[in-house]
C-alpha cells in the first residue's frame, strides 16, 4: 500500500512534497532496495548529496521503483570542494551523469562555508545550470538569514528551499519566519534528531498514546504543522511507512505548544554553519 504524501508548489513554480526520504548511509545494493522501497511506498522527494556517495544508488532506485521518473523529485548537493562558478557547473553536470535521470530536480549548496566566501558564485553557477535545463530548482542548505539576504542582494533570486537542521529540540523559529517572507520552503534534516533520546521524551510518548500513533509520527506531524518538509531516513520499509503515515491526524495549537517546551538547541553545538564547514 502506497501512502499519498501531499504536494506543494515552490517559489519557482516547481512541485515539492510535504515529506521526503533521507538517504544518508544508504549505499550499495541494500541502499538501492531501501530507497526503491521508499519510492514504491509513496515517497516522491528523495534527498542525496555528492558527499553521501550514493547518487548512483539513488538513480538506480528511481529506475527500479517502477514509478514514473517525472513523479519523483530528486535533490542533490554541491559539496564545499566544488564552490565557485565553474566548479559548481562541473559539479552539477557530474551529479547529473551519476544519477542518470536526465536532470536534477533540486540542487542545493550543501554548506555555505563562509570563510571560503564563494557561495554567491556557486549559486550563480547553479542558476546557469537551471537556465540550461539540467537543474529544475536551485536552493541552499545550512544558510542563515544573512546569507540568504546576500544571495538575494547579489543575484536577485531567492532559493526555492533551505534545508537545515530542525527538530523539536531546535525548531528554527526565526529562520522559518525569514523563509516565509521570501517564499522559501524550509526542509528539515535530522527531523527525528537522529533517533536520539528525543523519541523517549514524555510529552511525545503521551501525545503518541493519545493519537494512537508512534512518537516518531508525532515528531514528523509537528514538522508538517510547522510548514517544513522533514526528510526522515530509514533503511527499513516498515519504519519508512510509519514515517510517511502522518497525514491522517493533526496536532492542536496546545499540543504544538507543549512540544515547543522541548527546545534546547542543535544535536551538536559545533554544527553552527557560521563556523562548521564541510568540503
Ligand atoms: N544538508 C545537510 O547538511 C544534512 C545533514 C544531515 C542529514 N541530512 C539529510 O537528512 C536526512 C535525515 O537526517 P538523518 O539521517 O541525520 O536523521 P533522522 O532522519 O532524524 O534519523 C535517522 C535515524 O533514525 C532511525 N529511524 C528512522 N525512522 C525511525 C522510526 N520510525 N523509529 C525509530 N527510529 C527511526 C534510522 O534508523 P533506520 O534506518 O534503521 O530506520 C536512523 O538511525 C539524511 O539522511 C540526509 O538525507 C542533510
Amino acid at each position: 500500500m502506497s501512502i499519498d504524501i501531499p504536494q506543494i508548489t515552490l517559489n519557482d513554480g516547481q512541485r515539492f512534497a510535504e515529506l521526503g526520504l533521507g538517504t544518508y548511509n544508504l549505499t550499495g545494493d541494500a541502499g538501492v532496495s531501501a530507497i526503491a522501497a521508499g519510492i514504491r511506498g509513496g515517497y516522491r522527494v528523495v534527498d542525496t548529496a555528492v558527499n553521501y556517495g550514493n547518487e548512483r544508488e539513488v538513480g538506480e532506485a528511481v529506475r527500479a521503483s517502477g514509478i514514473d521518473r517525472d513523479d519523483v523529485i530528486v535533490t542533490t548537493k554541491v559539496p564545499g570542494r566544488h564552490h565557485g562558478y565553474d566548479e559548481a557547473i562541473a559539479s552539477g553536470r557530474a551529479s547529473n551523469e551519476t544519477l542518470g535521470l536526465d536532470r536534477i530536480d533540486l540542487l542545493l549548496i550543501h554548506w555555505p562555508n563562509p570563510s571560503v566566501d564563494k557561495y554567491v558564485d556557486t549559486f550563480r553557477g547553479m542558476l546557469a545550470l537551471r537556465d540550461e535545463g539540467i537543474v529544475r530548482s536551485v536552493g541552499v542548505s545550512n544558510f542563515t538569514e544573512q546569507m540568504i539576504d546576500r544571495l538575494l542582494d547579489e543575484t536577485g533570486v531567492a532559493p526555492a528551499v533551505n534545508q537545515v537542521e530542525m527538530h523539536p529540540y531546535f525548531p528554527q523559529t526565526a529562520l522559518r519566519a525569514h523563509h516565509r517572507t521570501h517564499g522559501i520552503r524550509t526542509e528539515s534534516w535530522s527531523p527525528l534528531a537522529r533517533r536520539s533520546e528525543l523519541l523517549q521524551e514524555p510529552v511525545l510518548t503521551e501525545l503518541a498514546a493519545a493519537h494512537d500513533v508512534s512518537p516518531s509520527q508525532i515528531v514528523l506531524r509537528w514538522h508538517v504543522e510547522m510548514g517544513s518538509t522533514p526528510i526522515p531516513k530509514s533503511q527499513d520499509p516498515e519504519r519508512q511507512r510509519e514515517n510517511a503515515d502522518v497525514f491522517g491526524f493533526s496536532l492542536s495549537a496546545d499540543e504544538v505548544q507543549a512540544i515547543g517546551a522541548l527546545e534546547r538547541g542543535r544535536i551538536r553545538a559545533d554544527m553552527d554553519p557560521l563556523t562548521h564547514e564541510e568540503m
Side-chain angles (χ1 to χ4, degrees), residues 112-132:
N113 293 4
S115 81
V116 178
D117 198 22
K118 284 190 183 171
Y119 62 77
V120 177
D121 279 346
T122 305
F123 196 66
R124 285 203 181 95
M126 291 158 57
L127 290 172
L129 290 172
R130 191 179 71 172
D131 290 344
E132 243 182 80

Side-chain angles (χ1 to χ4, degrees), residues 63-214:
R63 289 187 293 275
S65 68
I67 302 297
D68 190 336
R69 189 267 169 267
D70 285 340
D71 289 339
V72 185
I73 299 156
V74 175
T75 304
T76 192
K77 313 189 189 87
V78 176
R81 64 186 176 282
H82 297 165
H83 278 205
Y85 182 85
D86 292 334
E87 292 87 343
I89 291 177
S91 185
R93 286 193 204 291
S95 288
N96 193 41
E97 284 286 310
T98 309
L99 286 162
L101 297 171
D102 296 328
R103 64 164 189 276
I104 296 166
D105 299 288
L106 173 64
L107 184 63
L108 308 179
I109 301 178
H110 202 151
W111 282 88
N113 293 4
S115 81
V116 178
D117 198 22
K118 284 190 183 171
Y119 62 77
V120 177
D121 279 346
T122 305
F123 196 66
R124 285 203 181 95
M126 291 158 57
L127 290 172
L129 290 172
R130 191 179 71 172
D131 290 344
E132 243 182 80
I134 291 177
V135 167
R136 281 226 167 132
S137 296
V138 291
V140 295
S141 180
N142 300 302
F143 271 49
T144 64
E145 290 93 317
Q146 293 74 16
M147 293 167 183
I148 289 170
D149 287 344
R150 190 169 159 211
L151 282 187
L152 273 161
D153 285 350
E154 298 191 28
T155 71
V157 179
V161 165
N162 187 15
Q163 183 187 111
V164 292
E165 177 178 351
M166 180 169 151
H167 39 72
Y169 289 145
F170 192 56
Q172 295 276 18
T173 310
L175 183 63
R176 282 188 289 109
H178 194 73
H179 289 171
R180 275 196 294 279
T181 62
H182 299 293
I184 299 167
R185 181 70 182 181
T186 310
E187 191 178 16
S188 312
W189 64 254
S190 294
L192 299 171
R194 251 172 219 173
R195 193 169 52 178
S196 55
E197 65 279 18
L198 176 69
L199 302 180
Q200 277 89 54
E201 292 286 355
V203 61
L204 299 177
T205 53
E206 281 159 25
L207 286 172
H211 285 274
D212 197 18
V213 297
S214 69

Side-chain angles (χ1 to χ4, degrees), residues 21-26 47-48 52 77 108-111 141-142 163-165 188-196 199 214 216-217 220 231-236 238-240 242-243 267 271 278:
L21 182 69
T23 71
Y24 181 64
N25 269 340
L26 297 179
D47 183 73
T48 179
Y52 302 167
K77 313 189 189 87
L108 308 179
I109 301 178
H110 202 151
W111 282 88
S141 180
N142 300 302
Q163 183 187 111
V164 292
E165 177 178 351
S188 312
W189 64 254
S190 294
L192 299 171
R194 251 172 219 173
R195 193 169 52 178
S196 55
L199 302 180
S214 69
S216 310
Q217 288 173 311
L220 294 166
I231 44 169
K233 171 261 169 186
S234 182
Q235 60 182 349
D236 175 61
E238 246 332 291
R239 285 191 290 281
Q240 290 174 351
E242 172 187 337
N243 292 343
I267 306 174
M271 294 294 271
E278 286 192 7

